[in-house]
Amino acid sequence: MTTTFERPARPTARIEDPALLTGRGRFLDDIDPLPGTLTAAVVRSPHPHARIRGVDLERARRHPGVAAVIGPEEVLAALKPFPLSLKTPMPYYPTGTDKVRFVGEPVAVVVAADRYLAEDAAELVEIDYEPLPPVVDVEKTLLPEAPRLHDGADSNVATDRTFAFGDVDAVFAAADHIVKGKYSFPRYSSTPMECYSVIAEWQDEVDGPAVQAWANFHGPFSMVPVLAGALGVPASRVRLMIPADNGGSFGIKAGIYPYVALMALASKYAGRPVRWTEDRIEHLLASSAGSDRVMWFEAAVSAEGSVQGLRADLVDNVGAYLRPPEPSTLYRCFGNITGAYKIDAVQIRSRAVVTNKTPTGLNRGFGGQQLYFGLERLMDKIAGVCGLDPAELRQRNFVQREDFPYATPTGGIYDSGDYQRVMDMLLKNADYQALREKQREARERGEYFGIGIATIVDPSATNIGYVGLATPAEQRKAGRGKSGSTEHVRISVDLNGIVSVLLGTVPQGQGHATVAQDVVAEQLGLPREQVRPVVEMDTATTPWTVTSGSYSSRFAPLLTSALVEASEKLAETIKVAGATLLGADPADVELGQGQVRLRAEPERAVPFRHAAGLVHWDPGALPEGTPARLYEEAAFTPPQSKAASRTDQINSSLCYGFVAELVGVRIDAATRQLELDQVVTVHDPGTILNHQLLEGQVHGALAHAIGGAMFEEMRYTDAGQPTATFMDYLCPTTAETQYELNSDHLETPSPLTRLGAKGCGEGSSMSLPVAIANAVADALAPAGVDITTLPLHGNVLNELLNGSDSERTL
């Protein structure tokens, strides 16, 4: 049931901002929860692939001020391998044990009185390496002769599954056209302002060991049992606390948990709490990154341009280990793998391979960036084969408005949408025909000018059950499947009528507190200042589940639904209390303007705070059977999020928004500099809860996308040596993100969430990279240049143009 939500008449200021703007933010480096905490430095491998023949820690242990030094021996003695998402003989520990498998992999930890002493002592750790041949390329690691990363495995393939839905072979046999393309999406990172930070304490208690840790972790909390499994303690004995402020994550801080385990072990040996804060070089070398993917697509197409069948062969490079939650990037978009298009026959091969690169994880839009780069490049290629405009080709294949809810062949259930209307808005806002004329005139002047379009289905409120697809159906244990998109919330009212809202979503700057305040104030008929959101996470006291966290655009569809349900429970008690004070029937009262009032006689009212005060001070006055409780929890668990079926279908997300994006680009013929001429974007995120925050998310996703599409390049040499500083890894600044932006929105509320909201935080990070690629391909088409990979900066464009058959004068 969808509940009406009235947005504030004017955009409300973010309540998170005053503390941040006045230097009162509470980041992990700002707090010192445990007096006497020591500091750690991590000793890392300089080799991408080497056997560890010996580790000598004695000189470092004798260094003044050093409390403990641990290495592979201590790790193997005290920790178990992290539980993986599927059974594969590729054990993963927080340090190298038998081998090191990427540059920057931890090998030892030095704990000292301060960072200076720890760094000095770390230089005294002696490690005897036997260098081994590395492999970093996705296709090369598949070869039988490739260096084997994990001796217990038969190959470097961590998982390999093939799925078929519909009569794929028959559809391809009958096709008028078979259009093929090979594409690769690069590895790039999130580079948040704040790097990883951990404070951990190992506690030996009477009933067994326990760990308490502070970290700037953002979820998903499915990593807590993974962490507990490595530590060898029950999840209930791992207490994880996250401060109120997080200097950005964009997915990457889900990968902090190996360092929590490592610092907890360091604390055990030091006998004191241990603090570790990652520096920028460590972060680029060894934190996490999005998966680089090589993919082969084939489409069966009719003469009129109808895409009737799709084959996809996806190979993700997950780095040195299949680190949980991988292979999530392969499967996160399983239910929406056909994008915005009605394609009934689909075949998918999904492989994850290990190489001598940093292990991968979540990165804003994970799974969608990779999928849509291949799918939307293919759609442009189909348009060319069929002689259609790229916009027309997409419109011919769209899921239509009357088709919703629409079931995809892979199991996704698209809840709502109007893709054609969004496309109409996009083309109108861009003045598409005039833009094509502008392109024609530019080409006549000898200029490179291109137009690119991308349309994507934006999944939100992930159903974690999709990871189960990596295991064949016959091997999945009956009755022990995984699924769900649950979010918890706790709301209480004090004796003065002030409402506290405890959130478990671990925000990273998105404005969760602001929206929560608006939603609860609306539901309880209160002024905003009477609602106080609390966003600090403590797994011992804050409501959470393994699916909790700030990822996959979960807040708007899930947590706000839980807020509505908890508010409704509180409202019933407040109404009874208010009706008691008014001498009325609770069925006849309503909440509004900070009061409990008679619906038929709104002038007869009592303040909300008096009704709350009655429950606290005079509960005996309440009608018999009314609980004297102004403390409610709610867990919103949508029944549409189920485990993978025996036929390998899954609704991999609860909600599916839509984004249509158009990009105009110019390429300087002399310097090869790529410039964004304009960006036009239209988003359908369901009900918009706060326009200002939505625009912030759109701008942020566009900036991330520009980085991956035009600048950021996490390169590795064939010898396995990576980019390690901002001298080589170029993040866009405000100077590089200046472009003409036209942003618009359409609301088609979801029938599955209480407020009709879907997610909006990742859309453009999925759509803009391929829109830019499509625009560059359009610009360079007269020169015979195709675009099959990213990033697209001057050096790449120069190589492409110099390698083309002819660079004609346009």
Side-chain angles (χ1 to χ4, degrees), residues 643-684:
S645 72
R646 303 302 293 176
T647 57
D648 285 327
Q649 291 176 298
I650 192 166
N651 188 27
S652 49
S653 293
L654 175 65
C655 303
Y656 299 88
F658 183 65
V659 181
E661 221 137 59
L662 183 147
V663 178
V665 302
R666 294 183 182 276
I667 302 169
D668 189 285
T671 66
R672 314 302 201 202
Q673 180 176 346
L674 173 62
E675 176 187 346
L676 297 183
D677 186 71
Q678 64 174 306
V679 176
V680 183
T681 186
V682 183
H683 288 245
D684 175 7

Side-chain angles (χ1 to χ4, degrees), residues 395-559:
Q395 289 169 315
R396 290 192 183 189
N397 287 281
F398 276 160
V399 175
Q400 297 300 309
R401 181 176 62 181
E402 60 270 17
D403 295 327
F404 291 97
Y406 173 76
T408 71
T410 52
I413 306 295
Y414 294 176
D415 46 328
S416 65
D418 190 341
Y419 301 167
Q420 182 61 58
R421 186 177 173 195
V422 171
M423 178 63 92
D424 290 343
M425 293 169 65
L426 180 81
L427 299 180
K428 178 182 178 182
N429 293 351
D431 198 353
Y432 187 58
Q433 294 306 316
L435 194 59
R436 285 295 182 192
E437 177 62 22
K438 180 180 178 180
Q439 179 186 45
R440 186 190 64 77
E441 294 171 355
R443 285 182 170 174
E444 288 180 352
R445 295 192 298 269
E447 300 173 3
Y448 293 117
F449 184 91
I451 302 164
I453 291 175
T455 58
I456 67 148
V457 171
D458 183 7
S460 59
T462 283
N463 170 12
I464 65 168
Y466 65 72
V467 179
L469 291 168
T471 301
E474 63 273 12
Q475 296 177 22
R476 297 198 288 265
K477 295 180 179 179
R480 295 181 61 183
K482 294 180 180 178
S483 70
S485 301
T486 300
E487 277 295 352
H488 277 195
V489 69
R490 183 180 298 159
I491 304 181
S492 60
V493 186
D494 72 10
L495 51 89
N496 293 312
I498 302 299
V499 180
S500 293
V501 183
L502 192 56
L503 307 178
T505 49
V506 197
Q508 314 150 42
Q510 302 97 321
H512 290 186
T514 296
V515 174
Q517 186 183 57
D518 285 344
V519 169
V520 173
E522 165 75 14
Q523 296 301 312
L524 297 179
L526 294 172
R528 295 177 72 237
E529 58 271 16
Q530 206 165 328
V531 179
R532 176 180 172 266
V534 180
V535 298
E536 291 179 327
M537 163 59 76
D538 181 340
T539 57
T541 58
T542 307
W544 63 281
T545 76
V546 293
T547 64
S548 293
S550 185
Y551 66 104
S552 297
S553 298
R554 298 171 56 80
F555 173 81
L558 297 178
L559 193 119

Side-chain angles (χ1 to χ4, degrees), residues 8 10 45 57 78 260 366 414 421 427 447 475 563 616 713:
R10 291 179 293 177
S45 168
L57 308 177
V260 176
F366 74 101
Y414 294 176
R421 186 177 173 195
L427 299 180
E447 300 173 3
Q475 296 177 22
L563 286 173
H616 282 282
E713 198 166 13

Side-chain angles (χ1 to χ4, degrees), residues 14-74:
R14 282 168 36 106
I15 61 175
E16 297 91 342
D17 288 346
L20 296 173
L21 295 173
T22 56
R24 293 183 289 110
R26 289 178 294 162
F27 299 88
L28 193 51
D29 259 3
D30 297 320
I31 64 176
D32 188 16
L34 300 172
T37 298
L38 301 172
T39 302
V42 179
V43 180
R44 300 180 182 275
S45 168
H47 301 284
H49 195 196
R51 199 169 303 281
I52 300 173
R53 292 191 295 208
V55 179
D56 187 348
L57 308 177
E58 291 309 311
R59 288 183 63 206
R61 285 170 172 161
R62 293 194 300 268
H63 192 273
V66 170
V69 184
I70 63 171
E73 182 178 338
E74 289 75 18

Side-chain angles (χ1 to χ4, degrees), residues 178 282 333 343 432 547 588 618 794:
I178 295 178
E282 288 182 292
C333 289
I343 305 173
Y432 187 58
T547 64
D588 296 331
D618 192 11

Side-chain angles (χ1 to χ4, degrees), residues 42 44 57 129 172 239 350 453 518 614 661 672 687 700 740 755 792:
V42 179
R44 300 180 182 275
L57 308 177
Y129 294 106
F172 271 82
R239 183 180 182 185
S350 299
I453 291 175
D518 285 344
L614 177 74
E661 221 137 59
R672 314 302 201 202
T687 302
E740 180 185 328
L755 299 178
L792 296 169

